[in-house]
Amino acid sequence: MNEGPTQKADAAVARNPGGNSEAADPPPDIIIRLTQVEKSFGALKVLRGINLEIARGEVVVVCGPSGSGKSTMIRCINGLETINGGEIWIEGKRLAAGRFQRLNAKVGMVFQSFNLFPHLTIMQNLILAPTRVLNLSKEQGLERAKKLLARVGILVKADDFPDTLSGGQQQRAAIARALCMEPEIMLFDEPTSALDPEMINDVLDVMRGLAHDGMTMIVVTHEMGFAREVADRIVFMDDGQIVEMANPTTFFDNPKEERTKRFISKILTH
Ligand SMILES: Nc1ncnc2c1ncn2[C@@H]1O[C@H](COP(=O)(O)OP(=O)(O)OP(=O)(O)O)[C@@H](O)[C@H]1O
Ligand SMILES: [Mg+2]
């Protein structure tokens, strides 16, 4: 027999007879954990003891001045950079220290510069990794890709080459390509900063939809309207460290640290 909502509620009460709803909440399912992560390029210390835990389904916006280590942090999470100290755990598995990772199919990444293969059509871009890495048949790949292209609103561009698409369309194709691997986590590194203003919202809309559907997301962006509306938490980095971390309301309306205040006033007056 399926456990219906009433049985579930009854079972929760039985486990927690005092009825204290706080105690009945399950512990958060931590999908990404960074402890004391350090990264240097030669003598330059770029990440200096990063501690961060992200729960499944959480949307975390990362912001901070240029050079503060935002891209490096998410590249480390995706295994594109090796770390020099600390630990990174993804879905309960520790990334091996000191060496590059095999492509992690659970983590999708979208870059500022789209990074589509120029000699492949949009459809070929989408089905390449699923057919090679996940061993999907071409038919399965095509079916999955069509659904995703429809979802991001560019199914009509399936057989076109990337350079015939607008920047916003290319970025939506890049998001669809990442989703084609059915990742558990999506990392975005300034996905809208190379786009003309009128295209930004189309991309943000796709990201809003993903967040709404429960995707775990880390988004490096200075789109503060998006951050306020969509983020569960905002992380402010400066000089290789996390200076402040708070929900959007607290972050924007009541930041604690001087450095955060200065940064917010700068970006909001831009
Ligand atoms: N491959 C590399 N080799 C050497 N130094 C690097 C490398 N990648 C990044 N850095 C340096 O690490 C520091 C942090 O860079 P990172 O790209 O993470 O910053 P960021 O916060 O993403 O900045 P931005 O907002 O400009 O994108 C910078 O000083 C940068 O020059
Ligand atoms: Mg960057």
Side-chain angles (χ1 to χ4, degrees):
M1 189 184 79
N2 284 337
E3 194 187 36
T6 323
Q7 284 92 337
K8 269 189 193 160
D10 289 347
V13 171
R15 281 195 299 273
N16 177 36
N20 176 341
S21 66
E22 214 173 289
D25 283 344
D29 177 6
I30 300 298
I31 187 167
I32 301 172
R33 171 178 285 131
L34 279 69
T35 47
Q36 290 299 331
V37 168
E38 293 181 9
K39 171 71 185 172
S40 302
F41 292 106
L44 183 67
K45 284 195 172 171
V46 175
L47 299 181
R48 303 191 298 137
I50 300 282
N51 293 305
L52 181 63
E53 286 188 346
I54 296 176
R56 191 180 297 276
E58 212 184 346
V59 177
V60 173
V61 161
V62 179
C63 61
S66 181
S68 56
K70 306 177 298 292
S71 296
T72 305
M73 181 176 79
I74 65 166
R75 287 171 58 82
C76 288
I77 293 172
N78 200 22
L80 292 170
E81 301 282 358
T82 64
I83 59 176
N84 305 110
E87 294 180 357
I88 298 179
W89 293 74
I90 308 282
E91 288 220 288
K93 279 204 189 117
R94 185 177 168 182
L95 299 192
R99 61 182 166 87
F100 289 99
Q101 308 297 310
R102 229 181 104 244
L103 174 73
N104 187 346
K106 293 199 163 119
V107 185
M109 180 139 175
V110 174
F111 303 88
Q112 177 178 357
S113 51
F114 327 136
N115 293 8
L116 294 164
F117 296 112
H119 60 292
L120 300 179
T121 66
I122 297 301
M123 180 57 84
Q124 288 166 340
N125 264 279
L126 261 72
I127 65 172
L128 185 69
T131 52
R132 297 247 177 114
V133 180
L134 303 181
N135 290 325
L136 249 58
S137 70
K138 193 171 170 203
E139 290 66 35
Q140 289 169 318
L142 287 171
E143 198 182 324
R144 190 184 281 188
K146 272 188 193 158
K147 278 191 194 141
L148 288 167
L149 287 175
R151 180 171 172 185
V152 303
I154 52 166
L155 184 55
V156 292
K157 302 289 182 185
D159 298 320
D160 295 345
F161 286 90
D163 66 359
T164 67
L165 272 61
S166 73
Q169 289 168 338
Q170 288 188 55
Q171 192 57 301
R172 284 182 279 151
I175 294 173
R177 181 177 62 173
L179 293 175
C180 226
M181 294 291 282
E182 299 194 328
E184 303 278 331
I185 299 164
M186 284 284 285
L187 309 176
F188 295 86
D189 192 357
E190 304 210 36
T192 59
S193 56
L195 300 179
D196 291 338
E198 67 269 25
M199 292 171 188
I200 290 176
N201 227 6
D202 294 338
V203 172
L204 293 180
D205 272 344
V206 169
M207 294 167 64
R208 280 186 195 103
L210 275 180
H212 183 259
D213 292 347
M215 178 66 80
T216 308
M217 294 163 58
I218 304 183
V219 186
V220 178
T221 185
H222 292 138
E223 288 293 332
M224 289 300 137
F226 173 84
R228 204 186 254 276
E229 177 199 329
V230 180
D232 297 302
R233 245 188 321 159
I234 302 187
V235 167
F236 171 61
M237 288 180 70
D238 195 7
D239 198 18
Q241 291 175 314
I242 293 178
V243 173
E244 188 154 357
M245 193 151 52
N247 67 52
T249 309
T250 309
F251 184 85
F252 288 112
D253 302 340
N254 201 9
K256 278 199 209 66
E257 304 292 332
E258 274 311 311
R259 274 194 283 180
T260 316
K261 288 178 194 168
R262 278 203 304 275
F263 179 78
I264 293 173
S265 70
K266 237 190 233 166
I267 47 172
L268 292 186
T269 53
H270 247 277

Short mmCIF file of all heavy atoms in Angstrom, two decimals, residues 45-48 50 62-70 235-244 257-260 262-263 266:
data_model
loop_
_atom_site.label_atom_id
_atom_site.label_comp_id
_atom_site.label_asym_id
_atom_site.label_seq_id
_atom_site.Cartn_x
_atom_site.Cartn_y
_atom_site.Cartn_z
N LYS A 45 47.48 33.12 -3.48
CA LYS A 45 46.42 32.37 -2.79
C LYS A 45 45.06 32.91 -3.24
O LYS A 45 44.75 34.08 -2.98
CB LYS A 45 46.55 32.54 -1.28
CG LYS A 45 47.67 31.72 -0.70
CD LYS A 45 47.55 31.61 0.80
CE LYS A 45 48.58 30.62 1.31
NZ LYS A 45 48.69 30.60 2.75
N VAL A 46 44.28 32.09 -3.90
CA VAL A 46 43.03 32.55 -4.50
C VAL A 46 41.82 32.15 -3.65
O VAL A 46 40.86 32.90 -3.53
CB VAL A 46 42.92 31.99 -5.94
CG1 VAL A 46 41.59 32.35 -6.54
CG2 VAL A 46 44.06 32.54 -6.79
N LEU A 47 41.85 30.96 -3.07
CA LEU A 47 40.81 30.56 -2.11
C LEU A 47 41.50 30.31 -0.78
O LEU A 47 42.46 29.54 -0.71
CB LEU A 47 40.08 29.30 -2.59
CG LEU A 47 39.33 29.41 -3.93
CD1 LEU A 47 38.65 28.08 -4.25
CD2 LEU A 47 38.32 30.55 -3.92
N ARG A 48 40.99 30.97 0.27
CA ARG A 48 41.71 30.92 1.55
C ARG A 48 40.79 30.43 2.65
O ARG A 48 40.30 31.19 3.47
CB ARG A 48 42.26 32.31 1.85
CG ARG A 48 43.17 32.77 0.68
CD ARG A 48 43.98 33.99 0.96
NE ARG A 48 43.16 35.15 1.23
CZ ARG A 48 43.41 36.02 2.20
NH1 ARG A 48 44.42 35.85 3.01
NH2 ARG A 48 42.63 37.05 2.36
N ILE A 50 37.68 28.15 2.38
CA ILE A 50 36.25 28.29 2.09
C ILE A 50 35.46 27.18 2.77
O ILE A 50 35.74 26.00 2.58
CB ILE A 50 35.99 28.22 0.56
CG1 ILE A 50 36.75 29.31 -0.19
CG2 ILE A 50 34.50 28.24 0.26
CD1 ILE A 50 36.13 30.68 -0.11
N VAL A 62 26.36 33.68 -5.74
CA VAL A 62 27.68 34.09 -5.28
C VAL A 62 28.03 35.41 -5.95
O VAL A 62 27.95 35.53 -7.18
CB VAL A 62 28.75 33.03 -5.64
CG1 VAL A 62 30.13 33.49 -5.17
CG2 VAL A 62 28.39 31.68 -5.02
N CYS A 63 28.39 36.40 -5.15
CA CYS A 63 28.80 37.68 -5.72
C CYS A 63 30.07 38.16 -5.01
O CYS A 63 30.49 37.58 -4.00
CB CYS A 63 27.67 38.71 -5.61
SG CYS A 63 27.16 39.07 -3.93
N GLY A 64 30.66 39.20 -5.56
CA GLY A 64 31.89 39.72 -4.97
C GLY A 64 32.72 40.39 -6.03
O GLY A 64 32.49 40.18 -7.22
N PRO A 65 33.72 41.18 -5.62
CA PRO A 65 34.52 41.93 -6.60
C PRO A 65 35.30 41.03 -7.54
O PRO A 65 35.52 39.85 -7.25
CB PRO A 65 35.47 42.77 -5.73
CG PRO A 65 35.29 42.34 -4.34
CD PRO A 65 34.11 41.45 -4.23
N SER A 66 35.72 41.61 -8.66
CA SER A 66 36.53 40.89 -9.63
C SER A 66 37.81 40.39 -8.97
O SER A 66 38.45 41.12 -8.22
CB SER A 66 36.85 41.85 -10.78
OG SER A 66 37.60 41.20 -11.75
N GLY A 67 38.14 39.13 -9.22
CA GLY A 67 39.36 38.56 -8.67
C GLY A 67 39.21 37.98 -7.29
O GLY A 67 40.17 37.49 -6.70
N SER A 68 37.97 37.99 -6.75
CA SER A 68 37.79 37.50 -5.37
C SER A 68 37.78 35.97 -5.28
O SER A 68 37.81 35.43 -4.18
CB SER A 68 36.50 38.08 -4.77
OG SER A 68 35.38 37.77 -5.56
N GLY A 69 37.70 35.28 -6.42
CA GLY A 69 37.79 33.82 -6.39
C GLY A 69 36.48 33.10 -6.71
O GLY A 69 36.40 31.87 -6.55
N LYS A 70 35.48 33.83 -7.20
CA LYS A 70 34.17 33.22 -7.45
C LYS A 70 34.26 32.10 -8.50
O LYS A 70 33.78 30.99 -8.29
CB LYS A 70 33.16 34.30 -7.92
CG LYS A 70 33.06 35.48 -6.99
CD LYS A 70 32.11 36.54 -7.51
CE LYS A 70 32.49 37.17 -8.83
NZ LYS A 70 33.71 38.01 -8.78
N VAL A 235 25.95 34.53 -1.09
CA VAL A 235 27.29 34.40 -0.55
C VAL A 235 28.11 35.55 -1.12
O VAL A 235 28.15 35.74 -2.33
CB VAL A 235 27.92 33.05 -0.98
CG1 VAL A 235 29.40 33.03 -0.70
CG2 VAL A 235 27.22 31.88 -0.28
N PHE A 236 28.72 36.33 -0.24
CA PHE A 236 29.58 37.44 -0.69
C PHE A 236 31.04 37.06 -0.44
O PHE A 236 31.42 36.77 0.69
CB PHE A 236 29.22 38.73 0.04
CG PHE A 236 30.19 39.85 -0.22
CD1 PHE A 236 30.39 40.34 -1.50
CD2 PHE A 236 30.94 40.40 0.81
CE1 PHE A 236 31.29 41.37 -1.76
CE2 PHE A 236 31.85 41.44 0.58
CZ PHE A 236 32.02 41.92 -0.71
N MET A 237 31.83 37.05 -1.53
CA MET A 237 33.25 36.70 -1.41
C MET A 237 34.12 37.93 -1.61
O MET A 237 33.79 38.80 -2.42
CB MET A 237 33.64 35.66 -2.48
CG MET A 237 33.08 34.29 -2.22
SD MET A 237 33.57 33.11 -3.49
CE MET A 237 35.32 32.93 -3.15
N ASP A 238 35.21 37.97 -0.89
CA ASP A 238 36.22 38.99 -1.14
C ASP A 238 37.57 38.39 -0.78
O ASP A 238 37.69 37.71 0.24
CB ASP A 238 35.94 40.25 -0.30
CG ASP A 238 36.75 41.45 -0.80
OD1 ASP A 238 37.40 41.34 -1.86
OD2 ASP A 238 36.72 42.50 -0.13
N ASP A 239 38.54 38.59 -1.65
CA ASP A 239 39.90 38.18 -1.37
C ASP A 239 40.01 36.70 -0.96
O ASP A 239 40.69 36.37 0.00
CB ASP A 239 40.45 39.09 -0.26
CG ASP A 239 41.96 39.04 -0.21
OD1 ASP A 239 42.58 38.61 -1.20
OD2 ASP A 239 42.53 39.42 0.83
N GLY A 240 39.31 35.84 -1.70
CA GLY A 240 39.45 34.40 -1.47
C GLY A 240 38.72 33.85 -0.26
O GLY A 240 38.92 32.70 0.11
N GLN A 241 37.88 34.70 0.35
CA GLN A 241 37.15 34.23 1.53
C GLN A 241 35.67 34.55 1.42
O GLN A 241 35.29 35.49 0.71
CB GLN A 241 37.70 34.91 2.79
CG GLN A 241 39.09 34.45 3.12
CD GLN A 241 39.67 35.22 4.30
OE1 GLN A 241 39.57 36.44 4.35
NE2 GLN A 241 40.25 34.50 5.22
N ILE A 242 34.86 33.79 2.14
CA ILE A 242 33.45 34.15 2.23
C ILE A 242 33.32 35.14 3.38
O ILE A 242 33.62 34.82 4.53
CB ILE A 242 32.56 32.90 2.47
CG1 ILE A 242 32.59 32.01 1.22
CG2 ILE A 242 31.13 33.32 2.81
CD1 ILE A 242 31.80 30.73 1.33
N VAL A 243 32.93 36.36 3.03
CA VAL A 243 32.86 37.43 4.03
C VAL A 243 31.51 37.40 4.74
O VAL A 243 31.41 37.63 5.94
CB VAL A 243 33.07 38.80 3.35
CG1 VAL A 243 32.84 39.94 4.31
CG2 VAL A 243 34.45 38.87 2.73
N GLU A 244 30.47 37.13 3.96
CA GLU A 244 29.12 37.15 4.54
C GLU A 244 28.21 36.23 3.73
O GLU A 244 28.35 36.09 2.52
CB GLU A 244 28.58 38.58 4.55
CG GLU A 244 27.28 38.74 5.29
CD GLU A 244 27.08 40.16 5.84
OE1 GLU A 244 27.96 41.02 5.70
OE2 GLU A 244 26.00 40.38 6.41
N GLU A 257 28.67 43.12 7.56
CA GLU A 257 30.06 43.50 7.37
C GLU A 257 30.20 44.78 6.54
O GLU A 257 29.47 44.98 5.58
CB GLU A 257 30.82 42.36 6.65
CG GLU A 257 30.74 41.02 7.34
CD GLU A 257 31.48 40.99 8.67
OE1 GLU A 257 32.47 41.76 8.81
OE2 GLU A 257 31.07 40.24 9.56
N GLU A 258 31.19 45.57 6.90
CA GLU A 258 31.46 46.81 6.16
C GLU A 258 31.73 46.55 4.69
O GLU A 258 31.26 47.27 3.82
CB GLU A 258 32.67 47.54 6.78
CG GLU A 258 32.32 48.44 7.94
CD GLU A 258 31.16 49.38 7.65
OE1 GLU A 258 31.19 50.04 6.59
OE2 GLU A 258 30.19 49.42 8.44
N ARG A 259 32.53 45.48 4.43
CA ARG A 259 32.89 45.18 3.04
C ARG A 259 31.65 44.85 2.22
O ARG A 259 31.54 45.22 1.05
CB ARG A 259 33.87 43.99 3.00
CG ARG A 259 35.31 44.43 3.16
CD ARG A 259 36.26 43.32 2.79
NE ARG A 259 36.35 42.31 3.84
CZ ARG A 259 37.11 41.23 3.78
NH1 ARG A 259 37.84 40.98 2.70
NH2 ARG A 259 37.15 40.37 4.78
N THR A 260 30.71 44.15 2.85
CA THR A 260 29.47 43.81 2.14
C THR A 260 28.68 45.08 1.85
O THR A 260 28.17 45.27 0.74
CB THR A 260 28.61 42.87 3.01
OG1 THR A 260 29.43 41.87 3.58
CG2 THR A 260 27.51 42.21 2.18
N ARG A 262 29.74 48.11 1.47
CA ARG A 262 30.38 48.88 0.39
C ARG A 262 30.09 48.26 -0.97
O ARG A 262 29.75 48.96 -1.92
CB ARG A 262 31.91 48.91 0.60
CG ARG A 262 32.38 49.96 1.58
CD ARG A 262 33.85 50.32 1.31
NE ARG A 262 34.74 49.17 1.35
CZ ARG A 262 35.28 48.68 2.47
NH1 ARG A 262 35.04 49.25 3.63
NH2 ARG A 262 36.08 47.64 2.43
N PHE A 263 30.17 46.93 -1.04
CA PHE A 263 29.93 46.24 -2.31
C PHE A 263 28.49 46.44 -2.77
O PHE A 263 28.23 46.77 -3.94
CB PHE A 263 30.23 44.74 -2.14
CG PHE A 263 29.99 43.94 -3.39
CD1 PHE A 263 30.91 43.96 -4.43
CD2 PHE A 263 28.84 43.18 -3.54
CE1 PHE A 263 30.68 43.24 -5.59
CE2 PHE A 263 28.61 42.45 -4.70
CZ PHE A 263 29.53 42.48 -5.72
N LYS A 266 27.85 49.86 -4.10
CA LYS A 266 28.48 50.05 -5.41
C LYS A 266 27.64 49.42 -6.52
O LYS A 266 27.35 50.06 -7.52
CB LYS A 266 29.86 49.37 -5.40
CG LYS A 266 30.99 50.31 -5.75
CD LYS A 266 32.25 49.51 -5.96
CE LYS A 266 33.38 50.03 -5.11
NZ LYS A 266 34.51 49.11 -5.04
#
